[in-house]
Amino acid sequence: MSDATPSGEWSRSADARRQYNLVGGIILAVAALGLFVWSFWVNNPVPLPVRSSIIIFFAVGIAISAGLLRVQNPQDVYGGMALILLSLTALVASNDLPGMRGFAFGPGTAPRLFAFLLAILSLGVVVVGFLKRGPDITGYKIQGVVFIIGSILAFAACIRPLGLVIASFATVVICAAAAEDGKWRETLIVAIVITIFCSFLFPYGLNLPFQLWPRFW
Amino acid sequence: MHDLIANLWLGMSVAFTFTNVSLCLIGALVGTLIGVLPGIGSLATIAMLLPITFGLPPVGALIMLAGIYYGAQYGGSTTSILVNIPGESSSVVTCLDGHEMAKQGRAGPALAIAAIGSFFAGCVATVLVAALGAPLTAMALLFGPAEYFSLMVLGLIFAVVLAKGSVLKALTMILTGLLLSMIGSDLETGAERMTWGVPELSDGIGFVVVGMGMFGFGEILRNLESPGSREIINTKVTGLMPTLPDLKASAGAIGRGTVIGSLLGILPGGGAIIASFAAYTLEKKVSKNPLRFGRGAIEGVAAPEAANNAAAQTSFIPLLTLGIPPNPVMALMVGAMTIHGIVPGPQVMTKQPELFWGMIASMWLGNLMLIVINLPLVGMWVRLLRVPYRHLFPMIVIFCCIGVYSLNNAPFDVSLTAIFGVVGYWLVKHDFEPAPMILGFVLGPLMEENLRRAMLIARGDATVFLTRPISGTLLAIAFVMLALAVLPSLRAKREEVFTE
């Protein structure tokens, strides 16, 4: 599944890595800060261990960005930190749910149990990432992410008010912009073909309740 | 024995009606069509095609889905052989010798032997599913909540052990899946859990949303990163039929592959991938001339193809008898069954025998279809592979969008899928496997329910999981598996298998 080089060699220069950690650490710290502030907004007081974990998380983030902690395996460190953040968020979010009543589970018991276990295991991943050298995270393809995600969101936004024809045409055109070797004329032809195909297949061929055109009339 | 034949007869009589045969045919055809497109595995294929089964009666819908499943699987091996791109993880091994054969101008025999091997394995596995169905269902009656919980723990541990990469990271993925599955209303009290007041989340996150996001959109994002060179075999595919020596050479390989695949497929936790690897390794070991492997040995195609098809089929056993999906694809089947008002589990067999046996018979029928439709259509699949990726992925995206939207007619679901697409991409970037997470996500609610019940029955005594014999044994196996996977000596061996 992974494209990472198994050799564990770092592919970035020392400067680039420092910058990556600077930004990455700040993102982690800011997210922790946001979670901390939010933990005062929820109804029940969040227990002290959770709050102090958030503070420690914040400190680790700062330490990473300042270069005090040497990130040996960025994949493990950032991956594990993100999962810890997820479990802390879950602990805060499930805080107001009632827990055990006698020996019966409450609605909050299982989520907190899973979140707690996730935090412990993710901590293991992070610690390993600080100790054992591993490959750098290869660069993200921003163009792909922006246009693909944009096209999906466009579909979600258009399908109700504008109908299937416009939604699918818009989605295909936006989506095609994600490719580097795209040509406009080709894209338009493909989009028209796909749109016609979809507007016949789903409402007529499969009898699914799709509205084809905008609801003006 | 007599029962078995009577039951299979019932199944055949259901499966061989005109509508069901044509549904099976359409399913296998469309499944192959989508499966051939590089970069879409069987999970995304089934998720994408789920809406086309909505209008059908339950039996027909399941028969068609099963057809799609085998079709997608077979389509995956076609791309492995012709383009050297595994359509999905279970056909990675087929690339090694299959593509080599294609380069030598023997793409036809390679495709044919893959189909023949799959068909043979499918026949054996069908009988196996039919034979094991009844006794396992009887065993399911011995299972209480504690046993179900332990069985699911075992399944998740298997998924970790059989996945490649770090055991620790796979465990975190499972817990992430479990945690995400907790979002939504609590089953017993109806309390809203971690929904942030979003009404659309009170029903929980749909499995298709997560699966499609992580495996459909996530894959596209990853494929865009490395368009890569697709070297399609340019020589015409001629001489489909394998020669007599070919058949002789692969007969044993198909037999061994079928046995390995059937055994590993029953295990929960994604047996199909490990089955194909194991079958390939075994062939190499028993071969008189191991050096031929990787240079176009026909056994290297026959064995893994037989194994992964057998495993794909026997993985229906835990689903149909215990109601526990052993892998993400089966989890999707659970979703499909639920849409049609069927609760998978031991009661399906007693309450709806025509559904259970009809589906089993259709498995065999689906394999037969594949061999009939695929060999003549190889030329068409090759042409399809020449369509550039920049035209393919918009099509995949729009189909996925329509598929997800049509489940609930909810635009919110579509947006959520986009988010999971990014999550999937991010996970792969950080070397986390999405498959264990999906499995955790599916089993989450079931596990919680059984854990709660078991604890309630035992009056809060957590040792019940260890003191009840079946449950204790299952947990002990899980523990041993995990311990073995973490032990350094075995870990080295495991990596060796995956790097081959």
Side-chain angles (χ1 to χ4, degrees):
Chain A
M1 284 301 269
S2 82
D3 297 323
T5 43
S7 59
E9 282 304 304
W10 285 341
S11 51
R12 291 166 199 267
S13 68
D15 272 347
R17 208 174 313 122
R18 208 169 301 138
Q19 204 174 355
Y20 194 97
N21 289 335
L22 180 74
V23 177
I26 288 177
I27 292 175
L28 290 175
V30 169
L33 208 59
L35 185 61
F36 189 70
V37 172
W38 180 53
S39 76
F40 285 94
W41 282 78
V42 291
N43 292 336
N44 283 10
V46 175
L48 198 64
V50 176
R51 277 214 183 116
S52 40
S53 304
I54 299 175
I55 298 289
I56 294 171
F57 188 94
F58 173 78
V60 172
I62 295 291
I64 290 174
S65 77
L68 296 173
L69 280 167
R70 268 176 68 81
V71 177
Q72 297 283 354
N73 184 344
Q75 291 183 337
D76 283 8
V77 169
Y78 290 112
M81 285 298 271
L83 291 181
I84 293 180
L85 190 69
L86 176 76
S87 49
L88 289 176
T89 311
L91 283 174
V92 174
S94 64
N95 183 56
D96 53 345
L97 294 168
M100 300 287 277
R101 280 159 306 179
F103 45 74
F105 272 35
T109 314
R112 280 198 284 270
L113 181 71
F114 292 144
F116 177 72
L117 286 174
L118 177 63
I120 299 288
L121 288 174
S122 309
L123 188 66
V125 174
V126 174
V127 169
V128 170
F130 278 126
L131 297 176
K132 212 171 134 194
R133 188 178 269 228
D136 270 324
I137 298 160
T138 49
Y140 291 88
K141 188 146 189 307
I142 303 295
Q143 191 191 357
V145 176
V146 169
F147 285 107
I148 298 277
I149 300 309
S151 71
I152 301 167
L153 294 179
F155 182 88
C158 292
I159 185 71
R160 275 281 170 82
L162 298 179
L164 183 65
V165 173
I166 295 176
S168 56
F169 186 79
T171 307
V172 173
V173 170
I174 299 173
C175 188
E180 272 163 355
D181 52 352
K183 301 180 192 71
W184 274 109
R185 199 171 301 173
E186 260 183 32
T187 303
L188 285 180
I189 296 171
V190 170
I192 291 170
V193 173
I194 295 178
T195 306
I196 293 174
F197 181 69
C198 288
S199 3
F200 278 99
L201 178 68
F202 291 98
Y204 298 108
L206 299 170
N207 263 328
L208 292 174
F210 272 107
Q211 172 206 344
L212 280 178
W213 299 103
R215 246 185 268 231
F216 293 137
W217 50 83
Chain B
M1 193 64 206
H2 183 259
D3 275 354
L4 179 67
I5 293 168
N7 285 331
L8 278 178
W9 180 252
L10 170 71
M12 291 288 175
S13 64
V14 174
F16 275 93
T17 57
F18 178 71
T19 16
N20 286 345
V21 169
S22 34
L23 284 175
C24 188
L25 178 70
I26 296 172
L29 200 62
V30 180
T32 319
L33 182 79
I34 307 284
V36 164
L37 303 178
I40 324 179
S42 44
L43 188 85
T45 307
I46 298 178
M48 228 164 101
L49 297 175
L50 205 53
I52 68 177
T53 66
F54 283 173
L56 302 171
V59 183
L62 286 181
I63 285 178
M64 190 163 176
L65 277 174
I68 291 172
Y69 179 33
Y70 304 130
Q73 197 115 35
Y74 186 73
S77 22
T78 309
T79 35
S80 295
I81 292 170
L82 294 176
V83 216
N84 205 14
I85 295 176
E88 60 193 298
S89 36
S90 64
S91 46
V92 172
V93 213
T94 314
C95 286
L96 300 174
D97 278 294
H99 189 65
E100 210 52 46
M101 277 181 81
K103 271 196 202 151
Q104 295 164 10
R106 307 211 315 130
L111 287 167
I113 211 73
I116 294 168
S118 299
F119 177 67
F120 177 78
C123 294
V124 174
T126 303
V127 176
L128 199 67
V129 175
L132 284 182
L136 274 179
T137 308
M139 204 177 94
L141 297 177
L142 299 176
F143 273 44
E147 281 79 12
Y148 269 112
F149 178 79
S150 305
L151 184 67
M152 283 184 266
V153 171
L154 178 65
L156 290 176
I157 296 296
F158 264 126
V160 169
V161 175
L162 300 184
K164 60 176 183 173
S166 153
V167 171
L168 189 60
K169 283 175 124 177
L171 283 174
T172 59
M173 280 295 94
I174 283 186
L175 280 163
T176 309
L178 290 175
L179 192 58
L180 282 178
S181 73
M182 293 294 109
I183 295 175
S185 305
D186 175 34
L187 280 176
E188 280 176 31
T189 57
E192 299 256 312
R193 304 200 280 190
M194 301 188 275
T195 57
W196 282 282
V198 181
E200 283 91 345
L201 279 178
S202 62
D203 231 11
I205 302 173
F207 170 71
V208 176
V209 170
V210 182
M212 189 86 93
M214 307 254 282
F215 285 92
F217 295 144
E219 285 288 313
I220 292 176
L221 288 175
R222 218 160 48 84
N223 286 340
L224 281 177
E225 206 168 85
S226 51
S229 56
R230 279 198 272 151
E231 38 165 334
I232 299 171
I233 297 304
N234 274 314
T235 49
K236 261 193 125 182
V237 181
T238 46
L240 263 180
M241 278 338 278
T243 56
L244 206 60
D246 279 348
L247 283 176
K248 247 186 209 159
S250 40
I254 290 175
R256 286 185 287 271
T258 305
V259 173
I260 294 185
S262 309
L263 291 178
L264 287 174
I266 304 177
L267 301 182
I273 304 163
I274 196 84
S276 57
F277 277 102
Y280 189 78
T281 316
L282 179 75
E283 276 320 301
K284 231 169 146 181
K285 287 245 164 74
V286 299
S287 170
K288 287 187 198 107
N289 189 359
L291 284 177
R292 288 191 307 118
F293 284 86
R295 302 209 174 95
I298 199 156
E299 299 97 310
V301 181
E305 280 303 306
N308 79 34
N309 206 51
Q313 214 149 327
T314 48
S315 62
F316 271 98
I317 292 178
L319 176 70
L320 290 175
T321 54
L322 301 174
I324 294 176
N327 60 41
V329 175
M330 288 301 122
L332 203 56
M333 285 283 178
V334 174
M337 287 180 164
T338 322
I339 287 169
H340 289 285
I342 307 157
V343 184
Q347 69 278 12
V348 172
M349 201 168 133
T350 43
K351 281 192 191 144
Q352 290 155 301
E354 77 291 339
L355 183 103
F356 182 89
W357 294 105
M359 194 162 156
I360 286 175
S362 81
M363 291 176 185
W364 182 77
L365 192 65
N367 281 298
L368 185 68
M369 293 285 180
L370 282 182
I371 208 166
V372 175
I373 57 175
N374 276 305
L375 296 182
L377 286 180
V378 168
M380 198 182 112
W381 303 144
V382 175
R383 228 168 302 149
L384 194 68
L385 284 170
R386 285 176 213 266
V387 177
Y389 193 65
R390 64 171 188 276
H391 292 163
L392 282 181
F393 74 83
M395 228 181 295
I396 302 170
V397 168
I398 188 75
F399 276 14
C400 287
C401 286
I402 293 178
V404 170
Y405 177 74
S406 59
L407 277 177
N408 290 327
N409 283 339
F412 178 80
D413 281 356
V414 181
S415 314
L416 208 56
T417 315
I419 295 172
F420 277 105
V422 180
V423 171
Y425 183 49
W426 183 91
L427 285 178
V428 171
K429 281 275 177 199
H430 291 77
D431 207 19
F432 284 97
E433 287 272 341
M437 185 193 137
I438 295 277
L439 203 57
F441 182 78
V442 173
L443 292 180
L446 273 172
M447 279 184 93
E448 192 205 1
E449 198 188 329
N450 283 301
L451 178 65
R452 272 167 115 162
R453 262 193 226 151
M455 293 292 276
L456 201 61
I457 294 170
R459 311 199 136 249
D461 178 17
T463 58
V464 63
F465 296 104
L466 299 172
T467 49
R468 288 183 63 121
I470 299 179
S471 160
T473 316
L474 291 170
L475 282 183
I477 298 172
F479 180 77
V480 171
M481 292 297 294
L482 194 60
L484 285 177
V486 181
L487 282 182
S489 62
L490 211 93
R491 200 164 58 193
K493 209 166 241 170
R494 185 164 147 253
E495 262 148 36
E496 192 182 299
V497 170
F498 279 113
T499 46
E500 253 185 278

